[in-house]
Amino acid sequence: MRGEPGIGKTALLDFAAAGAAGSRILRAAGVWSELELAYAALHQLCMPLLDGIERLPAPQRDALGVALGLSGGSTPDRFLVGLAVLTLMSDAAETDPLVVLVDDAHWLDRSSARVLAFVARRLQAESVAILFAARDEGAVDELAGLPDLRLGALSNADAGELLDSAGIGPLDERVRDRIIAEADGNPLALLELPHALSRAGFAGGFAISDRTALAGRIEASFRGQVAQLPEETQRLLLVGAAEPLGDPVLLWRAATALGLPVEAAAPAEEADLITVGARVTFRHPLLRSALYGAASPEQRRAAHRVLAEVTDPELDPDRRAWHRAQAALAPDEHVAAELEASAERARARGGIAAAAAFLERAAELSPDEGRRAQRRLAAARWKRLAGLPDAASTLLADAARSPLQDRDRAALQRLRGQIALDLGRDSDAARLLLDAARRFEPVDPVLRATPIWRRSGRRRAPGSSRTASRRRRERLARRRPWWELLA
Ligand SMILES: Nc1ncnc2c1ncn2[C@@H]1O[C@H](COP(=O)(O)OP(=O)(O)O)[C@@H](O)[C@H]1O
Ligand SMILES: [Mg+2]
């Protein structure tokens, strides 16, 4: 299902869940945050199926175990992770049909999006249904080609009925018509804009209806509602908005650290802005982004600082590192190094996009220009492998402006060549790769022995004796193969 914010995607997922009695329902949602954590959504979905993991064929079990952080091991193959989830879901569906609901898919981490799309494409006779809900803009590439349903606006008559049922009280006919026109058939706007109007009064008039600005106006209405709450409640809400997990324990710990009483949540719950249960949920994701966007940079940093303090460094080092990074005021090598370590952990689990995101942030926070450029280079490498060539190119352009060692300069040029190759710009690629090879020659002893452009296309004479060929094999084994430099 695709559609703009507030059009009713989550409501329809709830409807689907209610209509799927007798089926087992699994739900997960992408969460807005600058933090990309590999396989976070998949983790959410697979945890209830965990007992089935033991029954998976060993290669699938191992791959999924590493991806979900349940066990250590070599970087899991994406295909095997996908296959593991497919097997897990089909096995689970043998007892009861399985309905998988994935909300806000536009915020899924890329690793999870790929795996879930892989599974969705391969469902055949299994009693498994997967339903994704996503915004139109920046739609998830991974889901392209799956059958989709675009949610459109409510008719004026339906919009009027919804407005009347919203409990706002009788409205002047002219005002009512204006709200309906302004909301443009968006249910969330119909429910929220009257709040903004009742405060601002009706004298000011409205902006001309513009769909792209609608989300902004809904956010403004949410901000207005939040501004009426006590100061302590507002601070608590900001901490909640800065915490992508929706973990109530973390929220209470942070509240305690800030000296906020538990009762601070009550006014927000009464106003139906948040619900604190097994998870902290906001009435709508736009409320979360409105809260976060309205806070000053210093307020945001304070929220992340306290969240970093209360996040367990043993259990959740990556999330802690990320909060520390968001809390950092100036470049800080400690924080940058911590993020670099998180990148390595993410990479080991096969979270390439996550590794790239951590490294990019580590670069921004590096005080030393040389380290910053090296981290940008590393981030670019993973961005490219995550299928994000534009982001990779931007990072390379930034890195190229800094002083780099010759070897890094050569690596940068090689990466540019590889990106050109990926994008089918073959002649650029050839030029860049040859240039890279020339730059590698003086800095790489192996390549100095046999420069790549002199070797290419030339076949070596086969060994004349077994000893000669063995010696050559040994020599080759000691030497770094040239293709590794291109890989
Ligand atoms: N067809 C509808 N009729 C009445 N209310 C609706 C309808 N669709 C959505 N809503 C209400 O509008 C609000 C926003 O819907 P939601 O499903 O959260 O939007 P989305 O998930 O697309 O951002 C919710 O309060 C929801 O209950
Ligand atoms: Mg929604």
Side-chain angles (χ1 to χ4, degrees), residues 4-11 13 103-104 106-107 133 135 283-286:
E4 63 185 9
I7 201 70
K9 301 179 294 296
T10 303
L13 287 182
D103 202 357
D104 292 324
H106 46 276
W107 286 321
R135 289 190 185 166
R283 173 145 103 222
H284 193 272
L286 284 180

Side-chain angles (χ1 to χ4, degrees), residues 234-243 250-251 254-255 258 260 303 306-307:
Q234 294 188 33
R235 282 172 66 202
L236 188 70
L237 283 176
L238 176 61
V239 176
E243 201 285 293
L250 216 53
L251 184 63
L258 287 168
L260 298 172
V306 73
L307 284 167

